[in-house]
Amino acid sequence: IYFINPEDVVNDLIAEAEDKIPNGGTAIGNYTSASVEKLGEAKNAAKENLEVQNYEAAISALNTALAGLELILPTPGKFYTIKSASTSAYCAGKYVHTIPTSAVRHASGYADRNYDHRHLLFDEAEVVNPSMIWQFTEDMKLKNVHTGEFVKSFGKDVQHMGSEEEAKSVVISELGDAQVNLKIDNGSPMHAQEAFGVIVTWSGGKNSASAWHIEEITEFSHTATITNAGYSTLVLGFNVEIPNDVEAYAVTAAGDGVAEMTQVTGVLPANQAVILKGEAKDYEFAYTNENATVEGNLLKGTLFSTNIAAEAYVLGNNGGVGLYKATLNQAEGTAFKNNAFKAYLPKTGVSSTLRFNFGGTTAIESVLNNGIDANAAIYDLSGRRVEKAVKGIYIQNGKIMIK
């Protein structure tokens, strides 16, 4: 028969309290100041009860205060980075991110290891970008802001990312100094593996490669490029400000070879796809917490490279920029691949091409640098190419021409 010395129990609880009390603060992974203050009061009272051998009161008060410690967790809907708290040089201060495009990453020195956008990696960053920004849902599922996908697992040689239905809740536990473990479905912690720069699972405590800082972020942006054609498309998973030197358009009607363009100004809402028009250069679309709506937009988009098993129009240039019928890939089950952050228009009617109508100006837009080409293709007002213009109204070089 073994007897437990109640004095030892009290001293052990006091030691546990003294270990927890320094972890009060305001950062994620800290305990709230109020709950730590109550623990401090319980610890002081326990020491007094210990002197008069009132062990039961001391144990009860300490257990209640320890159970009442309130860990500061991420707020659903806010934006966060997840940065390594490890002291190991290979991952110290590096961020968790997911590759947001269909491009393949070859981990340095390991050409046989391919990680695509459905994998989590850790890396350093000079500028925080959306691929390393995360949101937590009400049920603590972890969503990547850039791709819109959810973390469904940690581990080696697995697909980390999936749909919200596939995802499981992340359990956060404190390690001290605002460091935390993150576990999927309370399994082994998320861990930065040295060999491949990929996220795996491995148990580790404070300052290890399994320790992380979760930090709120309020400023970030997406870079969109318009090429020499003067057009591009865009869809993002978060609200952004539309730069002053670029125009954004929704398609609000389509038929008879025409896409009716409606300009979107100010704020581009999350998951609204648009056609961009502007000079050939990079544009920064900065996150904003302002809300906006776009009514009647027919354009759709994808946040990561996706096979679309349906007929659709995509932005193209075949003698002029317009919306052209997407080429279906029979090997993909009569689907076409829509790239990350790009728009498409579900196909209606029989037209193979849609010309843009910007509120009265209807044209297949010319992309010639000088804007004038006497040999450029000629189109009638229905968007049909003609061999020779006779008496009537036509479109050439993106301009209306009267014969």
PDB file of all heavy atoms in Angstrom, residues 244-277:
ATOM      1  N   ASN A 244      -5.521  52.387 -58.497  1.00  0.00           N
ATOM      2  CA  ASN A 244      -6.078  53.467 -59.316  1.00  0.00           C
ATOM      3  C   ASN A 244      -5.707  53.348 -60.791  1.00  0.00           C
ATOM      4  O   ASN A 244      -6.426  53.842 -61.658  1.00  0.00           O
ATOM      5  CB  ASN A 244      -5.605  54.829 -58.788  1.00  0.00           C
ATOM      6  CG  ASN A 244      -6.192  55.155 -57.433  1.00  0.00           C
ATOM      7  OD1 ASN A 244      -7.297  54.727 -57.116  1.00  0.00           O
ATOM      8  ND2 ASN A 244      -5.452  55.900 -56.624  1.00  0.00           N
ATOM      9  N   ASP A 245      -4.561  52.695 -61.079  1.00  0.00           N
ATOM     10  CA  ASP A 245      -4.083  52.667 -62.465  1.00  0.00           C
ATOM     11  C   ASP A 245      -4.445  51.384 -63.199  1.00  0.00           C
ATOM     12  O   ASP A 245      -3.832  51.054 -64.220  1.00  0.00           O
ATOM     13  CB  ASP A 245      -2.569  52.889 -62.511  1.00  0.00           C
ATOM     14  CG  ASP A 245      -1.808  51.956 -61.579  1.00  0.00           C
ATOM     15  OD1 ASP A 245      -2.449  51.267 -60.753  1.00  0.00           O
ATOM     16  OD2 ASP A 245      -0.567  51.920 -61.671  1.00  0.00           O
ATOM     17  N   VAL A 246      -5.448  50.660 -62.713  1.00  0.00           N
ATOM     18  CA  VAL A 246      -5.927  49.478 -63.430  1.00  0.00           C
ATOM     19  C   VAL A 246      -7.443  49.454 -63.348  1.00  0.00           C
ATOM     20  O   VAL A 246      -8.036  49.919 -62.362  1.00  0.00           O
ATOM     21  CB  VAL A 246      -5.335  48.178 -62.832  1.00  0.00           C
ATOM     22  CG1 VAL A 246      -5.839  47.928 -61.419  1.00  0.00           C
ATOM     23  CG2 VAL A 246      -5.661  46.975 -63.714  1.00  0.00           C
ATOM     24  N   GLU A 247      -8.085  48.951 -64.402  1.00  0.00           N
ATOM     25  CA  GLU A 247      -9.535  48.829 -64.422  1.00  0.00           C
ATOM     26  C   GLU A 247      -9.924  47.370 -64.230  1.00  0.00           C
ATOM     27  O   GLU A 247      -9.265  46.471 -64.763  1.00  0.00           O
ATOM     28  CB  GLU A 247     -10.097  49.353 -65.742  1.00  0.00           C
ATOM     29  CG  GLU A 247      -9.820  50.833 -65.974  1.00  0.00           C
ATOM     30  CD  GLU A 247     -10.261  51.293 -67.354  1.00  0.00           C
ATOM     31  OE1 GLU A 247     -10.840  50.480 -68.099  1.00  0.00           O
ATOM     32  OE2 GLU A 247      -9.994  52.463 -67.700  1.00  0.00           O
ATOM     33  N   ALA A 248     -10.990  47.144 -63.477  1.00  0.00           N
ATOM     34  CA  ALA A 248     -11.492  45.790 -63.226  1.00  0.00           C
ATOM     35  C   ALA A 248     -12.932  45.714 -63.700  1.00  0.00           C
ATOM     36  O   ALA A 248     -13.739  46.618 -63.430  1.00  0.00           O
ATOM     37  CB  ALA A 248     -11.395  45.449 -61.751  1.00  0.00           C
ATOM     38  N   TYR A 249     -13.268  44.629 -64.412  1.00  0.00           N
ATOM     39  CA  TYR A 249     -14.600  44.491 -64.990  1.00  0.00           C
ATOM     40  C   TYR A 249     -15.210  43.134 -64.649  1.00  0.00           C
ATOM     41  O   TYR A 249     -14.536  42.098 -64.716  1.00  0.00           O
ATOM     42  CB  TYR A 249     -14.550  44.634 -66.511  1.00  0.00           C
ATOM     43  CG  TYR A 249     -14.219  46.028 -66.976  1.00  0.00           C
ATOM     44  CD1 TYR A 249     -12.895  46.398 -67.222  1.00  0.00           C
ATOM     45  CD2 TYR A 249     -15.230  46.974 -67.178  1.00  0.00           C
ATOM     46  CE1 TYR A 249     -12.591  47.681 -67.650  1.00  0.00           C
ATOM     47  CE2 TYR A 249     -14.922  48.253 -67.604  1.00  0.00           C
ATOM     48  CZ  TYR A 249     -13.607  48.607 -67.833  1.00  0.00           C
ATOM     49  OH  TYR A 249     -13.296  49.874 -68.252  1.00  0.00           O
ATOM     50  N   ALA A 250     -16.498  43.167 -64.312  1.00  0.00           N
ATOM     51  CA  ALA A 250     -17.305  41.961 -64.236  1.00  0.00           C
ATOM     52  C   ALA A 250     -17.999  41.771 -65.582  1.00  0.00           C
ATOM     53  O   ALA A 250     -18.153  42.731 -66.351  1.00  0.00           O
ATOM     54  CB  ALA A 250     -18.345  42.091 -63.121  1.00  0.00           C
ATOM     55  N   VAL A 251     -18.392  40.538 -65.874  1.00  0.00           N
ATOM     56  CA  VAL A 251     -19.229  40.276 -67.045  1.00  0.00           C
ATOM     57  C   VAL A 251     -20.646  40.060 -66.527  1.00  0.00           C
ATOM     58  O   VAL A 251     -20.909  39.114 -65.785  1.00  0.00           O
ATOM     59  CB  VAL A 251     -18.739  39.047 -67.827  1.00  0.00           C
ATOM     60  CG1 VAL A 251     -19.723  38.695 -68.943  1.00  0.00           C
ATOM     61  CG2 VAL A 251     -17.358  39.307 -68.422  1.00  0.00           C
ATOM     62  N   THR A 252     -21.558  40.953 -66.893  1.00  0.00           N
ATOM     63  CA  THR A 252     -22.907  40.906 -66.339  1.00  0.00           C
ATOM     64  C   THR A 252     -23.948  40.354 -67.317  1.00  0.00           C
ATOM     65  O   THR A 252     -25.097  40.139 -66.928  1.00  0.00           O
ATOM     66  CB  THR A 252     -23.336  42.306 -65.865  1.00  0.00           C
ATOM     67  OG1 THR A 252     -23.101  43.253 -66.913  1.00  0.00           O
ATOM     68  CG2 THR A 252     -22.531  42.726 -64.644  1.00  0.00           C
ATOM     69  N   ALA A 253     -23.544  40.133 -68.557  1.00  0.00           N
ATOM     70  CA  ALA A 253     -24.426  39.497 -69.540  1.00  0.00           C
ATOM     71  C   ALA A 253     -23.561  38.985 -70.674  1.00  0.00           C
ATOM     72  O   ALA A 253     -22.499  39.546 -70.960  1.00  0.00           O
ATOM     73  CB  ALA A 253     -25.479  40.462 -70.062  1.00  0.00           C
ATOM     74  N   ALA A 254     -24.011  37.902 -71.310  1.00  0.00           N
ATOM     75  CA  ALA A 254     -23.243  37.334 -72.417  1.00  0.00           C
ATOM     76  C   ALA A 254     -24.206  36.675 -73.392  1.00  0.00           C
ATOM     77  O   ALA A 254     -25.090  35.912 -72.981  1.00  0.00           O
ATOM     78  CB  ALA A 254     -22.222  36.325 -71.904  1.00  0.00           C
ATOM     79  N   GLY A 255     -24.032  36.970 -74.666  1.00  0.00           N
ATOM     80  CA  GLY A 255     -24.861  36.361 -75.697  1.00  0.00           C
ATOM     81  C   GLY A 255     -24.660  37.047 -77.025  1.00  0.00           C
ATOM     82  O   GLY A 255     -24.208  38.202 -77.089  1.00  0.00           O
ATOM     83  N   ASP A 256     -24.969  36.339 -78.102  1.00  0.00           N
ATOM     84  CA  ASP A 256     -24.825  36.876 -79.463  1.00  0.00           C
ATOM     85  C   ASP A 256     -23.426  37.409 -79.712  1.00  0.00           C
ATOM     86  O   ASP A 256     -23.239  38.456 -80.334  1.00  0.00           O
ATOM     87  CB  ASP A 256     -25.857  37.978 -79.716  1.00  0.00           C
ATOM     88  CG  ASP A 256     -27.284  37.460 -79.684  1.00  0.00           C
ATOM     89  OD1 ASP A 256     -27.491  36.291 -80.069  1.00  0.00           O
ATOM     90  OD2 ASP A 256     -28.170  38.211 -79.247  1.00  0.00           O
ATOM     91  N   GLY A 257     -22.421  36.721 -79.189  1.00  0.00           N
ATOM     92  CA  GLY A 257     -21.042  37.089 -79.452  1.00  0.00           C
ATOM     93  C   GLY A 257     -20.542  38.279 -78.666  1.00  0.00           C
ATOM     94  O   GLY A 257     -19.469  38.802 -78.967  1.00  0.00           O
ATOM     95  N   VAL A 258     -21.293  38.717 -77.630  1.00  0.00           N
ATOM     96  CA  VAL A 258     -20.915  39.910 -76.877  1.00  0.00           C
ATOM     97  C   VAL A 258     -20.891  39.600 -75.379  1.00  0.00           C
ATOM     98  O   VAL A 258     -21.785  38.931 -74.858  1.00  0.00           O
ATOM     99  CB  VAL A 258     -21.893  41.071 -77.136  1.00  0.00           C
ATOM    100  CG1 VAL A 258     -21.546  42.282 -76.280  1.00  0.00           C
ATOM    101  CG2 VAL A 258     -21.890  41.447 -78.616  1.00  0.00           C
ATOM    102  N   ALA A 259     -19.863  40.092 -74.703  1.00  0.00           N
ATOM    103  CA  ALA A 259     -19.800  40.059 -73.240  1.00  0.00           C
ATOM    104  C   ALA A 259     -19.974  41.482 -72.729  1.00  0.00           C
ATOM    105  O   ALA A 259     -19.191  42.368 -73.076  1.00  0.00           O
ATOM    106  CB  ALA A 259     -18.462  39.487 -72.770  1.00  0.00           C
ATOM    107  N   GLU A 260     -21.020  41.719 -71.967  1.00  0.00           N
ATOM    108  CA  GLU A 260     -21.286  43.048 -71.435  1.00  0.00           C
ATOM    109  C   GLU A 260     -20.415  43.271 -70.202  1.00  0.00           C
ATOM    110  O   GLU A 260     -20.489  42.524 -69.219  1.00  0.00           O
ATOM    111  CB  GLU A 260     -22.768  43.193 -71.063  1.00  0.00           C
ATOM    112  CG  GLU A 260     -23.731  42.970 -72.213  1.00  0.00           C
ATOM    113  CD  GLU A 260     -23.652  44.068 -73.271  1.00  0.00           C
ATOM    114  OE1 GLU A 260     -23.093  45.142 -72.965  1.00  0.00           O
ATOM    115  OE2 GLU A 260     -24.149  43.850 -74.395  1.00  0.00           O
ATOM    116  N   MET A 261     -19.579  44.304 -70.241  1.00  0.00           N
ATOM    117  CA  MET A 261     -18.614  44.577 -69.187  1.00  0.00           C
ATOM    118  C   MET A 261     -19.129  45.663 -68.248  1.00  0.00           C
ATOM    119  O   MET A 261     -19.588  46.712 -68.700  1.00  0.00           O
ATOM    120  CB  MET A 261     -17.283  45.019 -69.802  1.00  0.00           C
ATOM    121  CG  MET A 261     -16.801  44.150 -70.953  1.00  0.00           C
ATOM    122  SD  MET A 261     -16.416  42.463 -70.449  1.00  0.00           S
ATOM    123  CE  MET A 261     -14.848  42.737 -69.622  1.00  0.00           C
ATOM    124  N   THR A 262     -19.056  45.406 -66.955  1.00  0.00           N
ATOM    125  CA  THR A 262     -19.454  46.383 -65.943  1.00  0.00           C
ATOM    126  C   THR A 262     -18.270  46.630 -65.030  1.00  0.00           C
ATOM    127  O   THR A 262     -17.739  45.687 -64.419  1.00  0.00           O
ATOM    128  CB  THR A 262     -20.651  45.885 -65.131  1.00  0.00           C
ATOM    129  OG1 THR A 262     -21.757  45.654 -66.007  1.00  0.00           O
ATOM    130  CG2 THR A 262     -21.045  46.896 -64.065  1.00  0.00           C
ATOM    131  N   GLN A 263     -17.845  47.873 -64.916  1.00  0.00           N
ATOM    132  CA  GLN A 263     -16.640  48.165 -64.135  1.00  0.00           C
ATOM    133  C   GLN A 263     -16.900  48.010 -62.648  1.00  0.00           C
ATOM    134  O   GLN A 263     -17.942  48.397 -62.125  1.00  0.00           O
ATOM    135  CB  GLN A 263     -16.126  49.573 -64.434  1.00  0.00           C
ATOM    136  CG  GLN A 263     -14.756  49.848 -63.799  1.00  0.00           C
ATOM    137  CD  GLN A 263     -14.114  51.119 -64.305  1.00  0.00           C
ATOM    138  OE1 GLN A 263     -14.706  51.853 -65.098  1.00  0.00           O
ATOM    139  NE2 GLN A 263     -12.904  51.398 -63.857  1.00  0.00           N
ATOM    140  N   VAL A 264     -15.922  47.414 -61.981  1.00  0.00           N
ATOM    141  CA  VAL A 264     -15.917  47.274 -60.520  1.00  0.00           C
ATOM    142  C   VAL A 264     -14.895  48.263 -59.988  1.00  0.00           C
ATOM    143  O   VAL A 264     -13.740  48.265 -60.414  1.00  0.00           O
ATOM    144  CB  VAL A 264     -15.540  45.837 -60.100  1.00  0.00           C
ATOM    145  CG1 VAL A 264     -15.542  45.704 -58.588  1.00  0.00           C
ATOM    146  CG2 VAL A 264     -16.501  44.827 -60.731  1.00  0.00           C
ATOM    147  N   THR A 265     -15.300  49.123 -59.077  1.00  0.00           N
ATOM    148  CA  THR A 265     -14.396  50.153 -58.564  1.00  0.00           C
ATOM    149  C   THR A 265     -14.264  50.047 -57.056  1.00  0.00           C
ATOM    150  O   THR A 265     -15.122  49.483 -56.377  1.00  0.00           O
ATOM    151  CB  THR A 265     -14.907  51.558 -58.924  1.00  0.00           C
ATOM    152  OG1 THR A 265     -16.208  51.739 -58.360  1.00  0.00           O
ATOM    153  CG2 THR A 265     -14.974  51.761 -60.420  1.00  0.00           C
ATOM    154  N   GLY A 266     -13.165  50.594 -56.548  1.00  0.00           N
ATOM    155  CA  GLY A 266     -12.970  50.653 -55.098  1.00  0.00           C
ATOM    156  C   GLY A 266     -12.444  49.361 -54.528  1.00  0.00           C
ATOM    157  O   GLY A 266     -11.232  49.152 -54.435  1.00  0.00           O
ATOM    158  N   VAL A 267     -13.355  48.457 -54.178  1.00  0.00           N
ATOM    159  CA  VAL A 267     -12.989  47.206 -53.513  1.00  0.00           C
ATOM    160  C   VAL A 267     -13.413  46.024 -54.367  1.00  0.00           C
ATOM    161  O   VAL A 267     -14.556  45.975 -54.854  1.00  0.00           O
ATOM    162  CB  VAL A 267     -13.643  47.104 -52.121  1.00  0.00           C
ATOM    163  CG1 VAL A 267     -13.403  45.733 -51.496  1.00  0.00           C
ATOM    164  CG2 VAL A 267     -13.096  48.203 -51.204  1.00  0.00           C
ATOM    165  N   LEU A 268     -12.501  45.088 -54.576  1.00  0.00           N
ATOM    166  CA  LEU A 268     -12.826  43.819 -55.219  1.00  0.00           C
ATOM    167  C   LEU A 268     -13.108  42.806 -54.114  1.00  0.00           C
ATOM    168  O   LEU A 268     -12.212  42.448 -53.346  1.00  0.00           O
ATOM    169  CB  LEU A 268     -11.664  43.333 -56.091  1.00  0.00           C
ATOM    170  CG  LEU A 268     -11.836  41.944 -56.716  1.00  0.00           C
ATOM    171  CD1 LEU A 268     -13.048  41.913 -57.636  1.00  0.00           C
ATOM    172  CD2 LEU A 268     -10.579  41.531 -57.465  1.00  0.00           C
ATOM    173  N   PRO A 269     -14.351  42.329 -53.987  1.00  0.00           N
ATOM    174  CA  PRO A 269     -14.678  41.400 -52.899  1.00  0.00           C
ATOM    175  C   PRO A 269     -14.036  40.034 -53.088  1.00  0.00           C
ATOM    176  O   PRO A 269     -13.695  39.620 -54.203  1.00  0.00           O
ATOM    177  CB  PRO A 269     -16.208  41.292 -52.985  1.00  0.00           C
ATOM    178  CG  PRO A 269     -16.658  42.433 -53.829  1.00  0.00           C
ATOM    179  CD  PRO A 269     -15.528  42.696 -54.782  1.00  0.00           C
ATOM    180  N   ALA A 270     -13.880  39.340 -51.988  1.00  0.00           N
ATOM    181  CA  ALA A 270     -13.333  37.982 -52.018  1.00  0.00           C
ATOM    182  C   ALA A 270     -14.177  37.099 -52.923  1.00  0.00           C
ATOM    183  O   ALA A 270     -15.411  37.182 -52.938  1.00  0.00           O
ATOM    184  CB  ALA A 270     -13.297  37.403 -50.608  1.00  0.00           C
ATOM    185  N   ASN A 271     -13.478  36.270 -53.719  1.00  0.00           N
ATOM    186  CA  ASN A 271     -14.090  35.250 -54.575  1.00  0.00           C
ATOM    187  C   ASN A 271     -14.906  35.830 -55.733  1.00  0.00           C
ATOM    188  O   ASN A 271     -15.670  35.090 -56.359  1.00  0.00           O
ATOM    189  CB  ASN A 271     -14.947  34.294 -53.736  1.00  0.00           C
ATOM    190  CG  ASN A 271     -14.139  33.611 -52.659  1.00  0.00           C
ATOM    191  OD1 ASN A 271     -13.079  33.052 -52.928  1.00  0.00           O
ATOM    192  ND2 ASN A 271     -14.629  33.651 -51.421  1.00  0.00           N
ATOM    193  N   GLN A 272     -14.736  37.120 -56.027  1.00  0.00           N
ATOM    194  CA  GLN A 272     -15.348  37.707 -57.214  1.00  0.00           C
ATOM    195  C   GLN A 272     -14.292  37.783 -58.317  1.00  0.00           C
ATOM    196  O   GLN A 272     -13.263  38.426 -58.147  1.00  0.00           O
ATOM    197  CB  GLN A 272     -15.896  39.098 -56.915  1.00  0.00           C
ATOM    198  CG  GLN A 272     -17.208  39.100 -56.163  1.00  0.00           C
ATOM    199  CD  GLN A 272     -18.396  38.692 -57.034  1.00  0.00           C
ATOM    200  OE1 GLN A 272     -18.297  38.651 -58.269  1.00  0.00           O
ATOM    201  NE2 GLN A 272     -19.508  38.393 -56.392  1.00  0.00           N
ATOM    202  N   ALA A 273     -14.553  37.112 -59.432  1.00  0.00           N
ATOM    203  CA  ALA A 273     -13.606  37.090 -60.542  1.00  0.00           C
ATOM    204  C   ALA A 273     -13.843  38.281 -61.459  1.00  0.00           C
ATOM    205  O   ALA A 273     -14.998  38.661 -61.709  1.00  0.00           O
ATOM    206  CB  ALA A 273     -13.748  35.785 -61.320  1.00  0.00           C
ATOM    207  N   VAL A 274     -12.754  38.871 -61.963  1.00  0.00           N
ATOM    208  CA  VAL A 274     -12.862  40.036 -62.847  1.00  0.00           C
ATOM    209  C   VAL A 274     -11.844  39.941 -63.977  1.00  0.00           C
ATOM    210  O   VAL A 274     -10.879  39.177 -63.906  1.00  0.00           O
ATOM    211  CB  VAL A 274     -12.635  41.360 -62.075  1.00  0.00           C
ATOM    212  CG1 VAL A 274     -13.798  41.654 -61.148  1.00  0.00           C
ATOM    213  CG2 VAL A 274     -11.313  41.348 -61.333  1.00  0.00           C
ATOM    214  N   ILE A 275     -12.080  40.746 -64.993  1.00  0.00           N
ATOM    215  CA  ILE A 275     -11.124  40.949 -66.076  1.00  0.00           C
ATOM    216  C   ILE A 275     -10.420  42.278 -65.813  1.00  0.00           C
ATOM    217  O   ILE A 275     -11.073  43.298 -65.569  1.00  0.00           O
ATOM    218  CB  ILE A 275     -11.821  40.954 -67.439  1.00  0.00           C
ATOM    219  CG1 ILE A 275     -12.387  39.558 -67.735  1.00  0.00           C
ATOM    220  CG2 ILE A 275     -10.850  41.371 -68.547  1.00  0.00           C
ATOM    221  CD1 ILE A 275     -13.238  39.490 -68.990  1.00  0.00           C
ATOM    222  N   LEU A 276      -9.097  42.264 -65.823  1.00  0.00           N
ATOM    223  CA  LEU A 276      -8.299  43.464 -65.581  1.00  0.00           C
ATOM    224  C   LEU A 276      -7.866  44.079 -66.902  1.00  0.00           C
ATOM    225  O   LEU A 276      -7.540  43.358 -67.858  1.00  0.00           O
ATOM    226  CB  LEU A 276      -7.052  43.121 -64.753  1.00  0.00           C
ATOM    227  CG  LEU A 276      -7.278  42.460 -63.396  1.00  0.00           C
ATOM    228  CD1 LEU A 276      -5.934  42.183 -62.725  1.00  0.00           C
ATOM    229  CD2 LEU A 276      -8.160  43.320 -62.496  1.00  0.00           C
ATOM    230  N   LYS A 277      -7.835  45.396 -66.940  1.00  0.00           N
ATOM    231  CA  LYS A 277      -7.402  46.113 -68.130  1.00  0.00           C
ATOM    232  C   LYS A 277      -6.453  47.226 -67.706  1.00  0.00           C
ATOM    233  O   LYS A 277      -6.765  48.009 -66.805  1.00  0.00           O
ATOM    234  CB  LYS A 277      -8.607  46.709 -68.865  1.00  0.00           C
ATOM    235  CG  LYS A 277      -8.265  47.450 -70.151  1.00  0.00           C
ATOM    236  CD  LYS A 277      -9.540  48.004 -70.787  1.00  0.00           C
ATOM    237  CE  LYS A 277      -9.229  48.737 -72.094  1.00  0.00           C
ATOM    238  NZ  LYS A 277     -10.448  49.333 -72.694  1.00  0.00           N
TER     239      LYS A 277
END
